[in-house]
Structures are given as structure tokens and as C-alpha cells.
Amino acid sequence: MLWETFLLAQRTIRRNALRSTLTILGIVIGVAAVITMVTLGSGATAKVTSDISSLGTNTLHVRPGQGMRGPGGARTSADQFTIEDADAIASNVAGLAAVAPTATASSQAIHGSANWSTAVTGASNTFFQVQSWSIAQGRVFSAGELKAGKAVCLLGQTVWEELFGVVSPLGQTIRLGKISFKVIGTLQEKGQSSFGTDQDDIVVIPLRTLQRRIRGDTDVGTILVAVADGVATTSVQGHIENLMRERRGIRPDQDDDFHVRDMKELIDTLTGTTTVLTALLSAVAGVSLLVGGIGIMNIMLVSVTERTREIGTRLAIGALEREVLMQFLVESVVLSTFGGVIGIALGLCAAGLGSYFIGVPFVFKPGIVAASFLFSAAVGVVFGYVPARKAARLNPIEALRYE
Amino acid sequence: MASESTPPLIEFHQVAKVYGQGTATMRALDGIDLSVRAGEFVAMMGPSGSGKSTCLNILGSLDTPSEGSYRFEGVPVERLSRDQRALLRRQFLGFIFQGFNLLNRTSALENVELPLIYRKMPARVRHEKAMAALTAVGLAKWAHHAPGELSGGQQQRVAIARALVGQPRVLMADEPTGNLDSVRSREIAAMLKDFNRRQGITIVMVTHEPEMAAYADRQIHFQDGRITSNGHHGKKR
Ligand SMILES: Nc1ncnc2c1ncn2[C@@H]1O[C@H](COP(=O)(O)OP(=O)(O)OP(=O)(O)O)[C@@H](O)[C@H]1O
Ligand SMILES: [Mg+2]
């Protein structure tokens, strides 16, 4: 019987194809909006998360200055870190996988007639470990090179391509400023960061080499700390902060002149924004579903009036109240779920296109698809009930006589 | 077919129908006593507004009496709920209306199947029975046409097939030929008479035309909500 009712409903809807289409437009738009937003939002979150994870999720960045809190000038006024600070962290704080002191300088990289301005990072081999960055060709630094501050370097994919094209750079020499460096290796391609910068635009040289021969100081710009698996980053963060306050002689009433940033915090901040955005747009979509529901109710009321004689005939033949109720309820549910299905399809298409153009991964969320489907069905039940009950309660004699 | 010894299928006792409230009340039926035996073909006649349709609607359990009692096979219909009366109609009654009341945009066959759908009959059995009913009214060829593609007489025959497909005990017809010319009217009347005789279906038919009423076993005349004559004037055919 339910199947018969379903077929009947589906036929009635097809008979009024144009009207049915217009009726479900609200639901279609609402559902499509929800699906698009949630899918794109999840894609953006996934991208941000994976980008930051590629930097190392359980990585802490220890930098001088007050970080993003104070005005940009804070950094210069604070004392820089030194290699000794990094060593102190490595030997005093428990639960660490690796500590990588780094410093950077921007420089012109030259090979033959090729010329490329890039960022030079001075680091030891722990840098690759903390960044979970693998070597594509060649090797990492030897202990002797690190200690003596030799002029050797590893190239990021971009720098390699800019200077050498497709030729292997191993064993070749490039110039950074006035100094010649021997290329001992290349780094695996990493792609864009979530901030849109090219992570492969990098030359890595031993930290000591950078300090002595390029910057001419002993500063360490950032100490990267990789926390061992299963260790809470927050506790490690606390330990490092205490240690650094001690080493830098900060009195209890003074603020830190350095900051320890957890990459997880950054992820939370960034994904938090997309969550808020998603919630906001979902609210808008909810309103359009409500409007869609009212549209369905309106058209169902019209339909009941138009088909008064049909209802009268059915009642005279012996249809029960609940059978007539069911007929109209099924019709409105079929209508609304049909809208839901179209909305889901449209939403997924739009999300697919959107993710392609924005450059975020397409994340299919079965949960939201199921929820949208059920929600659109619920809209049909809720807003179809009043018209259906009106039909079921009709007086058969009056309905039969209705013109 | 009908004989005095058959127990009454339908029994009205002092049935009244009152419309309106307060001083503006209007007694459309005013104390009707009536009985119809199984297998009878009864015609209801009388001037416009005399209460024929009101009486037939109560007989068909589409409406309830304001006063009096109505027994169908001994069951007090006035005490049944709305849904129980629907089940009574579904099981025992068939209707033919003056305006045909076929569902447009569905085929003749589907219209005839409708009562069987409400009886939850499997689709295959339904098709067979509906086809047989259409064949019985001579419309087998038109089974897949929409009512709009049929003539008035053909449409009324579809309606007859629909009313009879479930093999009801009683067929209620309110001016079944009111929209048709006299040739079509006679065809319909003859057809009803034939079903009455061969299948023993009880028929109660409201009509204005003496020519139609002549096909009935008995004519009941109404005037101002009362029965003025309840005799056996009809020619036995
Ligand atoms: N729903 C109603 N409300 C008020 N009065 C009604 C209603 N239905 C019928 N009546 C009145 O009851 C009386 C009997 O009506 P009914 O339809 O039974 O007459 P009828 O004999 O079938 O007439 P006709 O031959 O014109 O069909 C009429 O005076 C009519 O106005
Ligand atoms: Mg009438």
C-alpha cells in the first residue's frame, strides 16, 4: 500500500512538473548551500591541518619577542637565542624527539647565468627531522661540515629548478652572495603552505656557516622543538617557558620576551574560523529550508483544494482518514526529499568545482549528506502534515459536490 | 429476484436529517421509514429539493441521520465511527455519481482498480478484475484511455465498472444519467437492470425520469422530506 501511495505521489508530482520544481527550489537551494559549505569547509580544514602537519603537528616554535601579541617591533628589542639555548632545551626538557636551532637570511642564489632570490636557512640535520622533510637526492650534512661551518648546501625543489632546470645539481657549485657552496643534496617537494608561501623556495646550509659567513652573528632565530609521540605538547611548552625565563633572567613580575608557539594552537585558530563560518552559513541554509518548507505547505494546500473532488471520490469509495492523510503526506515527503536529493547533487557538484578552483581537497562527508536527506524528508513531514490533515478531514459529500 | 420473504438489507426507522441551527432549521428528511431487501432494484423519485440525495447519502453511509436509526444488515450504522463507515462502504457499497467523478489523467483501468487498491488486493488480481469489469460494460478496448478521451456515456460506464468491480452488496446511484441523452440513459438503465438480475446486486437509484424509473422493481416517491408512495409500480422486465 505504501508503495502504491509512493507511485501515486510520484506521478502526481511529475504531472505538475513545473510547479513541483518551483516548489522544491527552496529546499534545493538550502540543501545545496549546506552541502557546499560543509564540504568546502571540511576541505579547507583538511588542507590547513595537513599543511601544518607537514610542518610537524607536535612541533613547538620558540622565538624571541612576544610573537603575534605585541607590535611587530617586539622582536628586535628582545635578545636573540643562541645555540646554547637550544642545547639547554635539548638536555633539560624531557619528552623531546629533536631540537633544531635555525636562523635565516635572504640571499641571491646564482648558478652560471641563473639568478634566484631565495631564503637561506641555517640548520643542522635535526631540522629535516623536525620538519619531517626527506632528502630527494644526495645526503644530509656530515658532522664535520656542521662543526667546521663548511660551505655546503641542500636545495629545495624550486631553487633547484630555477638554477639548474632538470639537470641534477649534485656536486655542482652555487653562489650565495659572494660565497660558493657545494650542492650535496636536494629536498623532497613540499608544495605551498597554508599561508600561500612556497615551502620549496629554500636553501639549507649548516647553521654555523650561516652565522659566521652570511649573517656575521651568533643568533638563532627560531628553535624548532619536536615533541616525542604520546607526550603532551602543553607540558613541554611549560617546561621550555620556565627554562627560558630562568636562562634569560626574567623576574616573576615580568612578561616573557620570547614565545613558544604550538602548531596545534595555530590549527585550532585556523580551523576555528572555518567552523564559525560553516555554522553561520548553515544558519542561512536553515532559514532557506524553512522557507522551502513553507513553499511546500502552500503548494500542498493548493493541491488539496484542487483535488477536493478526487478526495471526495476516494472517501466515498472507502478510503480511511489515515489513508488520505498518508497519500498527501507521502506526496509532500517525496517532493521535499526529491528537492533534498537534487540539492545534495548540486551541492556536491558546486563543492567539487569550488574545491578545484580554491585549491582545497574535496572532502566527501557522508554524515552531512545523510543529515541533509533526513532533514529534507522531515521538512516534508512537518509542512505536509497540515494540508494532509485538511484533506483527510474533508466531508465526503461536500467534497464530491465541490466545483 | 426480490421476494417478500427475504430479510431487509437496509432498514430506516424514523430517519430525519436537519440542516441549520436555531430558528433557521430545515428538515431535509422528516421521519422516513424505509426498507430495501437484498436483490431489489429501487428507484427514488420526486421533485427537486424533496430529499432524495440526502436520503441516498445516508443510505450510502456518506452522511449520518440527525434522528432515527439506520440498520445495514442489522448493524446500527448511525453508531459507527467515520472510519468504520468508510470500511462499510469499501466492503459492501458501490457508488455512481451524476458527475461521474472519475479521476482525470489516470486511465479508465486505473479508475476501476481504485476500490481494489483500498481493499489491498495484489496488483495482478486487481488488473484482472478491473479488466473483467470493463469488459462487462463493453469498454475493454478503452481500458488505457483517460476519462477525458471518452464520451459521457462511456465515462458513466467506467464509473459503473468502478462501482461494481468490488462486487458490492448495494449499488447507490444518484441521477446516474442526469448528464446523458435518452438513448445513453436507456443503455445505462438496461445495464444496471442486467447486473441487478444476473448478479443479484441491490440497486438504489435516484432519478427524475419516469422512463429510467420504469426499469426498477419499485418506485419510492419523495415530497418535502417525506415518502408519499412506496409501492411496486415498476414494470417487471
Ligand atoms: N448541506 C446542506 N446544508 C443545508 N441544506 C441542505 C444541505 N444539503 C441539502 N440541503 C437541503 O435539503 C433539501 C433536500 O436536498 P436534496 O439534495 O436531498 O434534494 P434532492 O431531492 O436531491 O433534489 P435534486 O433533485 O435537485 O437533486 C434541499 O432543500 C436542500 O436545500
Ligand atoms: Mg439530488
Side-chain angles (χ1 to χ4, degrees), chain B residues 91-118:
Chain B
Q91 217 53 44
F92 300 112
L93 307 180
F95 290 88
I96 306 172
F97 309 98
Q98 177 175 0
F100 317 144
N101 278 326
L102 298 174
L103 306 194
N104 292 321
R105 298 203 198 87
T106 59
S107 68
L109 185 67
E110 284 167 308
N111 266 285
V112 177
E113 278 184 40
L114 200 59
L116 305 181
I117 290 178
Y118 285 112

Side-chain angles (χ1 to χ4, degrees), chain A residues 398 401, chain B residues 19-20 26 28 46-55 175 208:
Chain A
E398 281 166 19
R401 266 208 300 251
Chain B
Y19 286 116
M26 139 84 198
S48 191
S50 56
K52 309 180 294 292
S53 293
T54 308
C55 183
E175 302 189 47
H208 276 117

Side-chain angles (χ1 to χ4, degrees), chain A residues 28-338:
Chain A
V28 169
I29 292 169
V31 168
V34 170
I35 298 277
T36 311
M37 287 314 144
V38 171
T39 308
L40 282 183
S42 315
T45 306
K47 171 145 180 65
V48 167
T49 310
S50 86
D51 284 350
I52 297 177
S53 305
S54 75
L55 300 174
T57 337
N58 48 358
T59 304
L60 297 173
H61 288 210
V62 187
R63 286 202 180 101
Q66 291 187 330
M68 299 181 191
R69 263 169 285 162
R75 192 172 192 156
T76 46
S77 65
D79 286 345
Q80 295 291 308
F81 289 122
T82 60
I83 293 195
E84 286 71 39
D85 290 315
D87 291 343
I89 292 173
S91 49
N92 290 315
V93 180
L96 302 185
V99 177
T102 63
T104 54
S106 55
S107 174
Q108 205 71 13
I110 302 160
H111 173 75
S113 59
N115 189 322
W116 182 250
S117 127
T118 184
V120 181
T121 295
S124 60
N125 290 328
T126 47
F127 175 72
F128 306 119
Q129 200 182 330
V130 172
Q131 296 276 61
S132 35
W133 210 338
S134 42
I135 308 302
Q137 307 171 48
R139 58 173 177 85
V140 294
F141 305 119
S142 72
E145 286 162 351
L146 287 167
K147 198 156 187 205
K150 287 274 172 62
V152 289
C153 65
L154 287 95
L155 304 183
Q157 179 88 8
T158 306
V159 180
W160 168 23
E161 282 168 6
E162 291 297 337
L163 295 186
F164 295 92
V166 291
V167 181
S168 167
L170 290 188
Q172 305 263 20
T173 307
I174 63 163
R175 273 200 301 126
L176 295 174
K178 295 194 173 97
I179 307 142
S180 290
F181 283 77
K182 191 176 141 205
V183 179
I184 60 166
T186 61
L187 296 169
Q188 204 68 254
E189 187 175 359
K190 264 204 165 178
Q192 282 208 338
S193 76
S194 44
F195 316 105
T197 56
D198 180 4
Q199 300 181 85
D200 298 312
D201 189 3
I202 190 173
V203 175
V204 185
I205 63 175
L207 177 59
R208 189 148 288 169
T209 317
L210 182 98
Q211 288 175 333
R212 287 198 195 145
R213 305 181 67 172
I214 295 181
R215 288 179 62 110
D217 58 23
T218 57
D219 293 351
V220 167
T222 305
I223 304 174
L224 300 175
V225 178
V227 178
D229 280 343
V231 177
T233 48
T234 41
S235 80
V236 170
Q237 192 172 349
H239 285 148
I240 294 174
E241 275 164 5
N242 289 339
L243 180 66
M244 287 297 122
R245 282 179 75 88
E246 204 177 293
R247 285 180 66 86
R248 293 162 85 87
I250 299 168
R251 290 194 309 273
D253 60 321
Q254 281 179 316
D255 280 342
D256 291 350
D257 64 351
F258 66 95
H259 63 273
V260 183
R261 189 161 300 278
D262 182 355
M263 279 295 129
K264 276 207 182 97
E265 274 174 31
L266 201 59
I267 293 178
D268 291 348
T269 321
L270 288 174
T271 57
T273 330
T274 56
T275 311
V276 169
L277 213 67
T278 307
L280 212 71
L281 288 160
S282 301
V284 173
V287 170
S288 98
L289 279 181
L290 184 76
V291 173
I294 293 169
I296 285 191
M297 176 142 89
N298 182 32
I299 225 67
M300 288 306 296
L301 283 171
V302 170
S303 176
V304 167
T305 310
E306 277 178 355
R307 285 149 70 193
T308 300
R309 268 169 82 98
E310 174 193 328
I311 296 162
T313 307
R314 288 175 184 277
L315 289 170
I317 281 172
L320 300 180
E321 234 174 88
R322 71 177 128 86
E323 288 167 339
V324 175
L325 184 94
M326 250 329 199
Q327 184 190 334
F328 283 88
L329 213 51
V330 165
E331 198 173 310
S332 88
V333 171
V334 167
L335 207 57
S336 68
T337 46
F338 187 56

